[in-house]
Amino acid sequence: MQHDLIAQARTWLAEDPDPETRDELAALIEAGDTQELAARFAGTLQFGTAGLRGELGAGPMRMNRSVVIRAAAGLAAYLKAQGQEGGLVVVGYDARYKSADFARDTAAVMTGAGLRAAVLPRPLPTPVLAYAIRHLGAVAGVEVTASHNPPRDNGYKVYLGDGSQIVPPADGEIAAAIAAVGPLDGVVRPEDGWETLGEDVLDAYLARTDAVLAAGSPRTARIVYTAMHGVGTSVLTAAFERAGFPAPVLVAEQAEPDPAFPTVAFPNPEEPGAMDLAFATARRAAPDLIIANDPDADRCAVAVPDTPVEGGWRMLRGDEVGALLAAHLVERGVSGVFAESIVSSSLLGRIAEKAGLGYEETLTGFKWIARVDGLRYGYEEALGYCVDPEGVRDKDGITAALLVAELASVLKERGRTLLDLLDDLALAHGLHATDQLSVRVEDLTVIADAMARLREQPPTALAGLAVTSAEDLTRGTDRLPPTDGLRYHLEGARVIVRPSGTEPKLKCYLEVVVPVADAAGLPAARVRGAELLAAIKRDLAAAAGI
């Protein structure tokens, strides 16, 4: 067994094109570190609907140039099998370790396979790549990014020519084509022959961002902005300048791209401590709101002044921003369909219904939301908002930031705030309070065991609320295709449990709806909502054994 493992590692080493990972693997072989080698060679990174994502390092279970070259070769074979020979593939990348190398390898493989390749001019937000696919008439796009994952991770996100991320069956067909790729020396990789795009593609994206704002709307909101050490600063500040907003005050320590993400444990605005520097900057600058992007700028986080809160600033939940943007678009008189994933707040459906707009619920991920017929606005509770589906069929943290700033400006002119509008929504539709129980694991069997336990012994009540119906989503529903998840409806509450598709996490999404008779009842309703969420979280953790 040990001999086979060493032989497998030596075979991989012989065709690894990257001196860095070659040295890393050679050192493991030399040290006889069979435990680490076993982890690296336990299988291969699986290509799925999120593409590839994993820790950087040598071996088939890590993200590296060998894995990326195979992925690109498989994607090229799939595209040619679909009759796209000679078609254009656009490649974008963020500022993480190895991203530029992976982008170059992808372009080389596409060129060698008889496709045309064009690479974005520099590290840019993921939505710029999603925009460029349709703008340039490409047959596919690749974004090299691990979004908000830890510094040692990278990833490979694939879009097809409609500008949205892949879904079944394309993911499985691409995975099969990747598995069929032979030795790397058989993958043709020329030294040149692809195009490096100019700034004009970014200029076209920026020109499009204006479309999300209403003509003549107020543009007075002052913001503090953090790019979370990612690629958002230059694009967001350019978009705000074009739109006529005051120049954002930057969180200086996090404004420039840095793949080490030195000031945060996890470069995700939702993680504890990630916004601390933004809050500190806001206490000095006294803006109207804080806006944060994640490192590839497809997500948008919002914080608002809130005097009773320690530090004076409060992060809004993704569901709160989702509802605020929906209410703003309704007031602007938009038409079309509002859509969200099943894990997001049911408040969006109530807003759409009252406005006489269409409403759709999808599986988790913008790969599903972006495909809704007639989509005008879509969001997901994990800080993702699609506010210009004709321009970007994916979440876009830049255009979402513009729309939030416009809404804050409109309210500011009326002497009101985002919190005041949230109160209005609670009075109109009931207080919708949401929370999440998220458990990060080292051992993935913990997640499988928790799901099995809930399936075998489903809870009959949580927080004293009876479970009125339980659905195993692996069977699908009349509206949704199958997915690994469980949904519980309770009296005045809803719970969804699912494994994360991109991180080693079990995620549980909780919502309670508390009726509110008048403004005087809002404080008590908030207390009641928080108590119910805490109790549901406690009871659910016990039921799942986590």
Side-chain angles (χ1 to χ4, degrees), residues 115-135:
L115 291 144
R116 293 179 296 126
V119 183
L120 293 183
R122 54 191 165 87
L124 287 168
T126 294
V128 177
L129 180 277
Y131 168 80
I133 293 165
R134 298 178 72 213
H135 175 66

Side-chain angles (χ1 to χ4, degrees), residues 65-415:
R65 290 183 60 199
S66 296
V67 165
V68 164
I69 290 166
R70 287 181 183 281
L75 175 59
Y78 166 82
L79 292 171
K80 289 164 72 175
Q82 299 292 313
Q84 305 287 6
E85 179 90 38
L88 176 66
V89 178
V90 190
V91 185
Y93 59 104
D94 66 11
R96 283 177 177 267
Y97 296 118
K98 299 286 184 183
S99 285
D101 294 340
F102 295 167
R104 177 187 168 85
D105 282 331
T106 299
V109 171
M110 295 300 162
T111 304
L115 291 144
R116 293 179 296 126
V119 183
L120 293 183
R122 54 191 165 87
L124 287 168
T126 294
V128 177
L129 180 277
Y131 168 80
I133 293 165
R134 298 178 72 213
H135 175 66
L136 297 172
V139 298
V142 171
E143 176 71 15
V144 180
T145 182
S147 190
H148 56 277
N149 276 37
R152 287 299 302 168
D153 285 7
N154 213 327
Y156 199 81
K157 187 183 288 190
V158 176
Y159 298 75
L160 293 182
D162 63 355
S164 53
Q165 295 175 54
I166 53 169
V167 295
D171 57 342
E173 292 168 3
I174 295 168
I178 293 169
V181 175
L184 284 194
D185 60 11
V187 178
V188 179
R189 285 184 290 131
E191 289 295 314
D192 52 35
W194 58 89
E195 179 184 1
T196 299
L197 294 165
E199 293 293 316
D200 52 335
V201 69
L202 176 61
D203 292 342
Y205 167 81
L206 285 169
R208 178 79 204 185
T209 61
D210 298 348
V212 306
L213 302 174
S217 64
R219 314 278 167 92
T220 56
R222 296 173 54 252
I223 74 161
V224 158
Y225 171 73
T226 175
M228 207 66 67
H229 298 296
V231 297
T233 297
S234 65
V235 179
L236 181 130
T237 53
F240 270 62
E241 182 180 1
R242 283 181 62 95
F245 285 100
V249 176
L250 302 181
V251 178
E253 303 93 329
Q254 298 174 336
E256 295 303 316
D258 187 337
F261 305 108
T263 68
V264 291
F266 289 96
N268 179 353
E270 293 179 293
E271 293 282 350
M275 295 289 287
D276 287 355
L277 286 170
F279 293 150
T281 304
R283 284 191 283 273
R284 294 192 298 271
D288 297 304
L289 68 163
I290 298 169
I291 289 177
N293 287 140
D294 65 339
D296 69 325
D298 63 352
R299 287 175 168 80
C300 177
V302 180
V304 294
D306 194 4
T307 309
V309 174
E310 184 182 348
W313 283 84
R314 173 164 88 83
M315 269 280 285
L316 297 181
R317 301 193 67 84
D319 283 320
E320 291 176 313
V321 177
L324 288 168
L325 291 179
H328 180 47
L329 290 170
V330 165
E331 183 173 325
R332 275 180 34 183
V334 305
S335 58
V337 178
F338 284 6
E340 64 181 338
S341 64
I342 57 172
V343 299
S344 305
S345 172
S346 59
L347 177 55
L348 183 69
R350 298 185 183 202
I351 292 171
E353 182 182 16
K354 187 172 183 181
L357 297 174
Y359 168 74
E360 289 289 336
E361 202 176 45
T362 75
L363 292 185
T364 310
F366 274 81
K367 57 185 177 282
W368 298 108
I369 293 170
R371 285 181 158 76
V372 168
D373 285 342
L375 180 68
R376 176 57 185 85
Y377 167 65
Y379 98 92
E380 191 156 73
E381 56 72 45
L383 310 182
Y385 313 94
C386 176
V387 301
D388 177 25
E390 285 306 304
V392 175
R393 291 189 176 175
D394 198 3
K395 54 188 178 292
D396 182 345
I398 305 296
T399 49
L402 285 170
L403 199 61
V404 169
E406 179 184 64
L407 170 58
S409 300
V410 168
L411 292 169
K412 186 178 178 179
E413 281 207 343
R414 300 172 184 169

Side-chain angles (χ1 to χ4, degrees), residues 423-435:
D423 286 350
D424 292 350
L425 292 172
L427 291 171
H429 305 288
L431 179 77
H432 287 62
T434 59
D435 201 358

Side-chain angles (χ1 to χ4, degrees), residues 1-3 5-6 8-9 25 27-43 58 61-62 442:
M1 181 72 175
Q2 183 173 331
H3 180 268
L5 186 59
I6 297 292
Q8 197 178 354
L25 187 53
L28 291 174
I29 294 169
E30 181 71 25
D33 190 344
T34 52
Q35 185 175 351
E36 182 62 24
L37 287 170
R40 306 288 185 99
F41 288 86
M61 287 296 289
R62 298 287 184 268
E442 294 292 328

